[in-house]
Every structure is written in C-alpha cells, then in structure tokens.
Amino acid sequence: MKLWGGRFDKETDSLVNDFNSSIRFDARMYREDIAGSIAHATMLGEQGIISREETASIVDGLRAILADVEAGKVEFSEDNEDIHMNVETLLTQRLGAAGKRLHTGRSRNDQVAVDFRMYVRAEIPKIIDMLLKLESVLVKQAERNADAVMPGYTHLQRAQPVTFGHYMMAYANMFKRDITRFEDCLERMDECPLGAGALAGSTHPLNRNRTAELLGFSKPTDNSLDSVSDRDFAIEFLSACSILMMHLSRFSEEVILWCSWEFKFIDLDDAYSTGSSIMPQKKNPDVAELVRGKTGRVYGSLITLLTVMKGIPLAYNKDMQEDKECVFDAIDTVELCVPVFAAMLDTMTVRPENMYRAATGGFINATDCADYLAKKGMPFRDAYTLVGRLVNHCIATGKTLDTLTLEEYKGLSPIFDEDVFDALSLKTCVGQRKTIGGPAHDEVLRQIGVIKSFVEERAGK
Ligand code: ARG
C-alpha cells in the first residue's frame, strides 16, 4: 500500500505507477534527501515536537540508510514513487513508529525543493573549479604566445592584427564572467525552503532558522507559497550553463577552423583527435565538434524548464517533477565538456609561423596606413578613402601595402615618407595598440595578470 493509502480504495494502476514515479532519476539526490531529513528530525527533536529518543533513532536510522545506499545494499522501488518516499518507507520498515513521525510538519513539496536546491548547490563549485582550471590553461597558452601575431577577423575577413595571447584572453574573460554568474546563482539560492510545508507552512512550532542553519543555508526562504513553487535557482543555473556552453561552442568553432589545412594555426594533440574509418589522412577535431554539438542539449534543458514552469499556478504542481532530468543532464554535459576542452587546449601545438603568414600578404594593416596619414594631419575620413584607393591599386597590380614602393605611395599622397614601412609593419601595428584591452605585449600581460589573480583569489578559498 502507498504511503497515502488511507484515502484510496484501489491500488494505483501499474501504468500510472510507472508514469508517475521519478525514482529512476531522482535517486541521485539520496544524499541531499537524507541530509534534509536528518536536519528536519533534529529540529523536530529540539523543538519538542517529537521525543529526543525518537529523534536519535530517526537520525541513526537515516545514517544507516545512507551507508547502505553508498554500499550498494539498497534497491529503490518504483512503487515508492520518488526518493523521498523511498527513504521514508525504508526508515519506517526499519524503525516502525518512530520512522512514521519523520514527516511531521513537512511535505514532499518543501522536501523536494530543498533536496533539489542542495543538489544544484553542490555541483556549482565543481563546475567553477573546472572553469578555473580552464582559465589556467588559457593563461599558460597566452603567456607562451603573447607575441604570436595572428589576424583578427570581423565577418571572418582579415581585419586587424592581434596576437594569440590576446585571443586567449578574450575567451578567458568570457569564462571569468561564467564563473561569476555561477557564483551569483549560488548566492541567490542560499535560502532554505524546508519548513514551507505543502504550501502554507505548519501549525507545528517549526524552527526554520535552525533547519536552514543545519543544512548550511544563510536563512530560510521568506514566503511558503513561493518556496515550494520556485525553481528560479535551477533556471538561473541552466542559464549560466547555457551561456557557458555558448562560449565553449564558439571557441570550438574556432578550434575546428584553426586546425583545418586552410588555417593550420594549431595542431591538436593526437590524443585529443580522432581518425577516419576510410580516409587515412584524416585527423579530426571531434572533441571540439562534440562540445559544439552538446551545446544544443544544454540550451534544450533551459527551454524545457522555462516551458515547464510558464503555466503553473501556485503552488506545487506535478509538472514540476519535470525539473530534474533536464538539470541533471545539463550538469552531466557541462561537467563532461569543460575538462576535456581544457585538456584539448592544454595539449594543442600553436603554429605562430602560420598565423604570422596569414596576417601578412593582405591588407590587415590598412587601418594603420590610414592612421599614419591621420597622425600626419590628414582628416581620418580622407585618409580612409585614400587608403581604399591604395588597396585597389595593390589588388590591380598584385601588390600589398608592404611591397608598394615609396614612389607608388607618394604618387597618391606626398605625405607618405620612408617611415611608412615601419609604421605598417605587423610588429608596429600590434605593438602600438596599447589601449586598455588591446593586443600590445604589455597590455596582454596586464590582462593575463587580471585573470591570474582572479583564479588565485578563488584557489585560496
Ligand atoms: N517527486 C516529486 C517531484 O519531483 C516530489 C514532490 C511530490 N509532491 C507532490 N505533492 N506530489 O516533484
């Protein structure tokens, strides 16, 4: 018979049993469920709602169940629907009457809300840690390649020269924001919904401050209806995961381009590449492609939960059981992607000579040519037009700004002088871009320093 059996004359249909139960996926919250129950029982005992002896036997019983689950000795049952009823049923089987008192002043609605929150709360530091490791890899690659000039692109057309170190720091800034987003999410979810009951609190003198404290929350949630119907923390978490995956996916796209023969800016390590079953020459960037592909399922999780929640009146509705699989899948996916992506970057070989070659032989220094004229007094818009004509001339004659003669330059404007060649060298173009955030050597070192101290601050915690 079900825990709720009293009101029912019939057994649940087996189809409904299967359909309704969530133990297949919520069993993974057994630790949180048991911890929540221990806190609840402890508080009930302290408040004199149940006896001290019963409290002690409930707490011992729950600890024993935890040990048995971890030792693989417990088989959860679909008949008990979810992790909450499975644990409670086990406890009652073992303790009899005392076990039946555990659920005093509690509902599965506040129970699942606290379990799920604690589960997500425990995963976030793991993800942050993985991201900090990724940041360290980016710092390492940036330091090594702070002077490796490469083309920067807009519209995937060569635009202005940057360095590989500068490029790595661009992504490091994205992941830094991701880390702080996860931290914000942790901070906002730091309120304990336990004690909200089914939806309207309890007539028992529960001490919600105490259960919050026992479970490591700063305070209890402030409204019981909101407590049991709120999944914002999970939506926020999935948003942070989605933005992170979007960053990883963009980076993956670049890695895939960079290791193509058309670019060859990098080579992935053999251990992080795969071959083809038919084409002997192939070395494929499967890791990056799979990360890019898996981004879709994480976005899917976010949309799933937003959609599940959008039409639900207060307070708990069974729809909300659909909150877990998507979050668990996003956690698994993110925790799978970040470490392998970091290792792939850590082991790649950078080809500065190919980057340099791609940055020369075109017109990547055209802005610098216009800036050269502007610095000599010509209005920038006029300089811009003049350089456009120069570029046209180069294209018509098969030259570049580096191979034009001084006479050709002077043919278009007498302002041009011998110093134009130095002004247009890649070394100058990159080295003089010293503005905050720019690719000049010292400025990139400063950017690296910011990321390093960001990582170190957190490593100390
Ligand atoms: N398995 C349920 C869930 O995950 C637990 C809460 C059930 N509450 C209820 N009133 N049926 O949402």
Side-chain angles (χ1 to χ4, degrees), residues 75-89:
E75 223 176 282
F76 295 125
S77 147
E78 291 263 322
D79 283 341
N80 293 322
E81 199 175 314
D82 54 26
I83 186 63
H84 326 295
M85 297 217 284
N86 266 278
V87 171
E88 192 187 334
T89 304

Side-chain angles (χ1 to χ4, degrees), residues 4 20-23 25-26 29 80-85 107-113 116 198 231 316-324:
W4 62 65
N20 214 31
S21 85
S22 54
I23 188 66
F25 51 84
D26 65 17
M29 303 193 303
N80 293 322
E81 199 175 314
D82 54 26
I83 186 63
H84 326 295
M85 297 217 284
S107 155
R108 275 187 299 154
N109 299 349
D110 58 343
Q111 197 179 354
V112 71
F116 193 30
R231 293 295 180 270
Y316 178 85
N317 295 262
K318 186 73 171 188
D319 320 37
M320 290 168 74
Q321 183 166 285
E322 288 295 309
D323 60 0
K324 280 174 280 299

Side-chain angles (χ1 to χ4, degrees), residues 261-455:
W261 281 103
E262 283 68 17
F263 281 78
K264 262 298 163 235
F265 289 179
I266 58 168
D267 266 318
L268 294 180
D269 194 81
D270 279 1
Y272 288 88
S273 314
T274 48
S276 153
S277 61
I278 173 170
M279 296 167 281
Q281 84 284 12
K282 290 298 287 291
K283 185 172 150 182
N284 295 330
D286 282 25
V287 170
E289 290 169 48
L290 211 43
V291 168
R292 188 177 58 183
K294 283 180 186 291
T295 302
R297 55 196 294 164
V298 177
Y299 291 3
S301 291
L302 172 62
I303 299 301
T304 297
L305 191 52
L306 282 169
T307 312
V308 165
M309 297 303 293
K310 75 181 265 291
I312 315 187
L314 304 186
Y316 178 85
N317 295 262
K318 186 73 171 188
D319 320 37
M320 290 168 74
Q321 183 166 285
E322 288 295 309
D323 60 0
K324 280 174 280 299
E325 284 163 291
C326 53
V327 169
F328 295 159
D329 189 74
I331 290 171
D332 294 346
T333 305
V334 166
E335 292 183 0
L336 205 57
C337 289
V338 179
V340 71
F341 193 85
M344 175 190 72
L345 291 184
D346 198 23
T347 52
M348 72 182 167
T349 307
V350 178
R351 302 273 177 228
E353 64 288 359
N354 294 342
M355 294 182 187
Y356 192 85
R357 200 175 311 122
T360 52
F363 302 99
I364 207 158
N365 45 5
T367 314
D368 299 81
C369 189
D371 284 341
Y372 169 89
L373 292 170
K375 282 176 198 159
K376 297 208 175 215
M378 187 182 284
F380 179 78
R381 204 34 84 203
D382 295 340
Y384 170 94
T385 309
L386 190 144
V387 176
R389 260 187 265 130
L390 260 180
V391 170
N392 254 344
H393 170 79
C394 288
I395 293 169
T397 55
K399 294 194 162 188
T400 69
L401 295 179
D402 313 284
T403 58
L404 281 180
T405 62
L406 187 57
E407 288 63 46
E408 284 171 297
Y409 272 115
K410 281 193 176 293
L412 269 152
S413 168
I415 298 182
F416 282 114
D417 225 327
E418 195 61 53
D419 60 352
V420 66
F421 297 105
D422 181 55
L424 298 191
S425 75
L426 281 182
K427 195 164 174 274
T428 313
C429 295
V430 172
Q432 291 308 309
R433 292 191 139 72
K434 297 178 192 162
T435 37
I436 296 173
H441 179 88
D442 288 352
E443 176 47 29
V444 170
L445 291 193
R446 186 198 61 76
Q447 295 168 35
I448 292 174
V450 172
I451 298 296
K452 267 182 160 172
S453 26
F454 175 82
V455 172

Side-chain angles (χ1 to χ4, degrees), residues 128-201:
I128 291 179
D129 204 50
M130 291 171 181
L131 286 172
L132 290 171
K133 293 203 173 92
L134 173 59
E135 291 287 53
S136 299
V137 170
L138 293 177
V139 162
K140 192 163 101 187
Q141 290 291 10
E143 280 177 334
R144 274 191 206 150
N145 298 289
D147 295 315
V149 174
M150 67 180 281
Y153 298 83
T154 61
H155 314 270
L156 204 57
Q157 301 285 323
R158 290 172 191 167
Q160 289 175 345
V162 295
T163 65
F164 197 69
H166 188 230
Y167 223 102
M168 293 299 103
M169 283 303 105
Y171 281 101
N173 274 282
M174 298 180 217
F175 297 125
K176 178 176 172 235
R177 288 194 295 276
D178 288 325
I179 290 169
T180 56
R181 246 186 295 276
F182 283 116
E183 289 172 346
D184 289 351
C185 178
L186 262 184
E187 200 180 307
R188 230 178 331 272
M189 67 192 276
D190 185 21
E191 293 182 353
C192 184
L194 193 58
L199 73 162

